[in-house]
Amino acid sequence: MRSAYPIYNTVWAAALAAAAPLAPLLLLSGPRFRAGALQRLGWYPALPAGGKKRPIWIHAASVGEVTGTRELTARLKKEFPGRPIVLSAFTHTGHLTARRDPHADMVVYPPLDLVWIVRSALARFDPAALVVIETEIWPNLLREARRRGIPALLLSGRISTRSVRGYARWGRLFREALSCFNALGMQSREDAERIVRLGAEPSRVSVTGSLKLAAASPTRTPRAEGGRLWVAGSTHRGEEEIVLRAFASLKRSFPDLRMALAPRHPERFAEVEKLIGAEGLDFDRKSRLDGRLTGAKDVTLVDTLGDLVDLYAAADVAFVGGSLVAAGGHNLLEPARCRKPVLFGPHTEHFAEIAARLKEAGGGIEIRGEHDLAREIGALLADAELCRSVGERAYGAASQDPEVLDRSVALLARYLETGAA
C-alpha cells in the first residue's frame, strides 16, 4: 500500500510557501503569532546544563492540556530523577501556562510538522521518549521519532465522535501516524474503541484515564471583596455578549452581584473591554488591582494568566466558556473541584464524559443561551442551600483519580527502563 506521507508533505510545503509572503504581517500581529517563530522553524536553545540523561519530551496543545500535565511532570521528576523534562505547547496561552510548571526544565513551542524541521528538533533534544497529550497527533513528528528509535506514547488520549469523522477523512495518513505510537493510553473505553476503529493496533491501546482527573482540589479558598460573584471563565467570541446581557439582567434582582470575566485568548482583551462598555457596565482590569482578586465595580476583566482557579474558588457560581459556541468547551473540572455549581453550553465535545458526569450528578447545568443562563443562575443565587448542594454534587462528580497517574507513569516506565539512556 502506497504511503500517504508524500501527499501530506507536499501539501504542507505548498501551504508554507503560500504563507511565506504573509509572514511579516503575522509577525506584526501580536505575540500570539510572533512568539516562538524561530522555535517553530526548528531553532531551539540547548537543554540546561547538568542533565546526565536523555529528556522526556511532553507535548500538549493548549491551556487545558498543559494544566493536565502538571501532576504528571511532578511524578516523573520523582520517579526519574535526573531526567530533564521538555514541555511544549502549541498555543501562545498554553506556552505561558507551561512556563508556570516548576517541574519543566525547558518550555518550548513545537516544530512545524515538516520533515527537515522535525528532524532538527529531535536531533537537538534527542529525547528518551516522546509523550503526546490528548489528540496532538503530528504525522512527521511521530514518524521521525520512530525512525530515530524514540518511543512515542499517547497519554490521556481522547477521540470524540466528532473527531472520528474528521480524522476518517485523512484515512491512510492517520492510520500510518497511529502506527508510530508504541502505546496509546486513552481516557475511556469509548475513546479506546474509537481510536482502534481509526486504525490503532488494538494490542497497543489501553485505558489509563484522563490526566485532568489527577489534579488535586484547591487547598485554599480565597475570598473576593464585596457581594456575590459569578465567574465566566475561558469565554470565546460570541459568548461575552450573552453572559454580559444575562449579568445585566440579574443585577436588577441581585444588586450586589459582580462578575469576573476571563476571555480565553489574551489578544481579545481590548475587544471584550469594548463589549463591557457597550452594556453600560463599570469594570476593572485584573492587572490593575494590585494583587486583589476582584475589584469593586460591576465586572472584573481578567486580563491576567493563572488566576482563574482562585476566582472559581471565590465564586458563588461559574460558567465555563467555549461551550455556547462550537469550540468544544474548556475545563469543567476546575470550578467543580472548588465546589461550585458549573454551567456550560451544549458544545462540550472536549469534555463530553465529564459534562455527562456533572449533569448526571446534578452538579452541572447545561444551558442554551442568555435566558437559560440568567434563569438558572438566578435560581441558584436566590437559594443559598440549593447553590451549596449543587456545588457539592459537582465536587463529588469531579473527584480525583490518583490511579490515573499510576497507570500513565507505569506505561511510560516500560520504555524508559528498557535501554533509554
Side-chain angles (χ1 to χ4, degrees), residues 57 122 127-133 136 138-139 141-155 177-185 204 411-412 415:
W57 182 356
L122 289 171
L130 171 66
V131 178
V132 176
I133 303 298
E136 278 289 281
W138 293 102
L141 180 61
L142 291 168
R143 185 170 71 162
E144 293 303 319
R146 183 178 63 179
R147 286 179 169 175
R148 292 181 65 92
I150 299 167
L153 295 89
L154 181 67
L155 292 182
L178 290 178
S179 73
C180 297
F181 280 111
N182 296 74
L184 301 97
R204 300 181 184 182
L411 189 63
L412 176 57
Y415 300 93

Side-chain angles (χ1 to χ4, degrees), residues 44 57 116-127 148 150:
Y44 292 99
W57 182 356
W116 61 91
I117 297 177
V118 166
R119 285 176 179 168
S120 175
L122 289 171
R124 187 64 159 170
F125 298 137
D126 188 27
R148 292 181 65 92
I150 299 167

